[in-house]
Amino acid sequence: MKNQQAIQIAEGIYCVGAIDKDAPRFHGYHVSHGVTFNAYLVRGTDGKYTLIDTVHRDKTDELLGRIASVTEPKNITALIINHTEPDHSGAVPAILQTAKPVVYATVAAAKFLQAMYGTENVQTVKSGDTREIGGRTYSFLATPMVHWPDNMVTYLPNEKILFSNDAFGQHFATNQPLDTQNNINTALTEAQHYFANIVMPYRAQAAKAVDAALSLPLDMIAPSHGVVWTKNIDRIGKLYQSLCTGESVAATLVFDSLWGGTAERAQEACDELRKTYEKITVFDLRTDHMSDVMAALAASKHLCIGSPTYNGYPTPRIGTLVAEVEALRPPVTEYSLFGTFAWGGGASKHLTQKLDALGLQKTFDLTRA
Ligand code: FEO
């Protein structure tokens, strides 16, 4: 029987989301510590409740169960939707069926809610707007492209709590929601993993939103994934600011191998990189996950790729790596190559064309038969 108790994180403020410790993937990529879909229930001074975000449709029963441990759903009179991606909006239809809340969202989110669920009469809010709801003050800050155009964050100025949705989130399933109750280094590692695979392509826009959010007086940042930041706001803030600027002096080496030849040459490439880079992280795509590679690339200047030639091309796994680099746009500015071929070659030629077209600068190529 799943635990469906709400967890109070501040006076009258409860975590009522869903926890899935066994989820192997999220948004199509590998996760190591499960997933949470955080939603928050806030009791007003009038005894009514505001729900901030919901959960994935498949987790609706867990959300309703946790809400029921605090109050009857009919007492939810306001629903704030910070972001309409299905992991946060999937239970909107169920909430609207069991309660009749006023829905608050950005103009973009209101359009998406209408398109996705037929939701009408959303009260739209914009950056800087403030609403008194149930005796508490709520402020809204639009954060477009962190991670969709519709994103915003919700701030309780009197309580100094920021409900940040995807920003500062991590894939880290835990029944103890506070950062101080968990391994902080794991939470920060997972925050970088999350940033790389979700937020990284939009880091220029994210930088402005993150700076604006961090300029607020903050006692608590409550994201919609993972732990709630309390004593470590400074550390997650610095990590985000560093990842958003993309300044790095590290290298990431990634290789695939068919018969072991390219794997054997990884050390030679590493030695070459060592002349310039102190920190080098190595991944073998035969066993390592692409999402972990992207987490390392989020803090790398150099990408070194090792690939055999496979019917005239890089291997499919290396092809996927290049596609991920093109889509997620890590801050790398340089690349290098190594690898093997038997009779035709081709991997180096195709990788050079592709990576040059992405604007990266080649520093060396150790590919040979
Ligand atoms: Fe957690 Fe962009 O959704």
Side-chain angles (χ1 to χ4, degrees):
M1 175 78 181
K2 210 166 175 64
N3 175 0
Q4 294 193 340
Q5 288 294 310
I7 305 167
Q8 187 166 224
I9 57 169
E11 180 58 38
I13 300 178
Y14 304 85
C15 278
V16 291
I19 303 164
D20 188 344
K21 293 190 174 178
D22 300 321
R25 303 186 74 76
F26 177 89
H27 211 273
Y29 65 84
H30 166 80
V31 294
S32 303
H33 296 94
V35 164
T36 62
F37 306 88
N38 297 345
Y40 300 93
L41 194 61
V42 181
R43 185 175 62 238
T45 56
D46 61 356
K48 301 299 185 186
Y49 288 82
T50 297
L51 180 63
I52 301 177
D53 292 324
T54 75
V55 297
H56 189 275
R57 180 182 55 196
D58 295 349
K59 306 292 181 186
T60 299
D61 286 349
E62 189 171 343
L63 171 71
L64 294 176
R66 289 185 200 273
I67 290 171
S69 75
V70 178
T71 188
E72 292 182 65
K74 69 176 186 188
N75 290 325
I76 298 172
T77 54
L79 171 60
I80 294 171
I81 294 296
N82 285 317
H83 175 31
T84 58
E85 195 163 10
D87 50 331
H88 307 297
S89 70
V92 165
I95 294 295
L96 295 183
Q97 269 183 1
T98 53
K100 300 290 174 214
V102 176
V103 181
Y104 298 89
T106 61
V107 170
K111 281 187 196 156
F112 296 168
L113 286 170
Q114 207 285 331
M116 293 162 82
Y117 309 112
T119 309
E120 304 283 1
N121 301 319
V122 172
Q123 297 280 314
T124 59
V125 292
K126 60 184 187 312
S127 238
D129 281 356
T130 293
R131 296 283 184 277
E132 298 297 321
I133 304 172
R136 296 212 198 217
T137 302
Y138 294 76
S139 298
F140 305 100
L141 173 67
T143 53
M145 304 318 294
V146 193
H147 143 236
W148 278 8
D150 64 336
N151 277 79
M152 69 173 184
V153 297
T154 298
Y155 180 57
L156 297 186
N158 295 323
E159 296 80 359
K160 300 188 179 68
I161 300 176
L162 180 73
F163 297 95
S164 63
N165 197 264
D166 279 347
F168 311 115
Q170 340 91 54
H171 292 305
F172 188 6
T174 170
N175 293 312
Q176 300 179 302
L178 302 184
D179 54 352
T180 50
Q181 298 169 309
N182 292 282
N183 183 314
I184 192 61
N185 290 326
T186 302
L188 289 165
T189 298
E190 288 304 317
Q192 178 163 331
H193 193 279
Y194 182 88
F195 178 96
N197 288 281
I198 297 286
V199 182
M200 188 158 66
Y202 316 112
R203 63 182 176 278
Q205 295 99 313
K208 295 177 200 149
V210 163
D211 285 346
L214 292 174
S215 71
L216 298 166
L218 292 171
D219 284 346
M220 183 178 279
I221 297 178
S224 289
H225 300 290
V227 303
V228 172
W229 304 100
T230 58
K231 301 293 184 208
N232 296 283
I233 288 173
D234 194 41
R235 291 183 73 181
I236 184 66
K238 281 197 170 80
L239 174 66
Y240 252 68
Q241 286 172 320
S242 158
L243 293 171
C244 285
T245 59
E247 289 169 6
S248 169
V249 290
T252 297
L253 184 153
V254 191
F255 68 90
D256 193 7
S257 202
L258 297 176
W259 293 103
T262 298
E264 284 172 12
R265 290 192 184 157
Q267 187 58 52
E268 184 186 353
C270 221
D271 292 343
E272 189 64 29
L273 285 174
R274 191 78 63 199
K275 295 174 184 170
T276 309
Y277 296 98
E278 276 184 33
K279 183 175 179 198
I280 304 166
T281 311
V282 177
F283 294 94
D284 178 348
L285 287 184
R286 295 173 298 180
T287 51
D288 293 325
H289 291 286
M290 192 67 73
S291 53
D292 295 332
V293 174
M294 299 318 296
L297 286 176
S300 292
K301 179 180 179 185
H302 188 107
L303 168 60
C304 180
I305 299 178
S307 180
T309 289
Y310 173 78
N311 298 323
Y313 287 88
T315 67
R317 282 185 286 248
I318 293 295
T320 300
L321 167 69
V322 174
E324 291 280 27
V325 167
E326 189 170 12
L328 293 175
R329 302 197 288 280
V332 292
T333 56
E334 296 177 351
Y335 75 98
S336 54
L337 302 174
F338 66 99
T340 53
F341 59 89
W343 43 267
S348 171
K349 182 182 89 175
H350 285 284
L351 287 168
T352 298
Q353 284 173 350
K354 193 72 186 172
L355 295 169
D356 283 355
L358 291 177
L360 307 189
Q361 191 77 34
K362 187 195 274 188
T363 60
F364 64 83
D365 188 345
L366 301 176
T367 305
R368 60 185 185 277

